[in-house]
Amino acid sequence: MSDAPSPRSAGRSLARHLALYTAARLGMVAVIAGIILGVAAIVKVAIPLVVALLFALLIAMPLSLLLFKKLRTQVNKDIAAVDEKRRKDREALMSRLQGKE
């Protein structure tokens, strides 16, 4: 059997996996920003929250590619399944419009 979701559940699967991947990445940004602010507090340096968040974003981008590879791969599979369903639906519609069955 294939790992690809059925065409009927492809959209739901994509939404679920995309939400999970987004939440994981945002969580990583929050954790890294917290670490930056914590270290800054320990060494008694004032760092604005916006600056800590920007650095956390820069650090989290490449880290998420490594740490969340499985989630990203699943999102890509779900996108491919949704695209395949749309392509088949479009072909069926064009066939009906041309009078073919």
Side-chain angles (χ1 to χ4, degrees), residues 8-21:
R8 197 171 282 169
S9 67
R12 286 185 184 183
S13 179
L14 173 61
R16 183 177 59 248
H17 288 123
L18 190 58
L20 184 59
Y21 182 61

Side-chain angles (χ1 to χ4, degrees), residues 10-56:
R12 286 185 184 183
S13 179
L14 173 61
R16 183 177 59 248
H17 288 123
L18 190 58
L20 184 59
Y21 182 61
T22 301
R25 291 185 73 181
L26 288 174
M28 179 185 286
V29 169
V31 167
I32 294 172
I35 291 170
I36 291 171
L37 291 173
V39 170
I42 289 172
V43 295
K44 297 183 182 359
V45 175
I47 296 180
L49 178 62
V50 173
V51 174
L53 286 172
L54 286 173
F55 277 109

Side-chain angles (χ1 to χ4, degrees), residues 71-89:
L71 279 173
R72 188 171 35 89
T73 301
Q74 189 60 49
V75 168
N76 289 340
K77 286 180 185 177
D78 292 340
I79 289 171
V82 169
D83 285 346
E84 180 66 21
K85 181 184 180 305
R86 285 183 183 166
R87 186 187 62 75
K88 285 181 180 178
D89 289 348

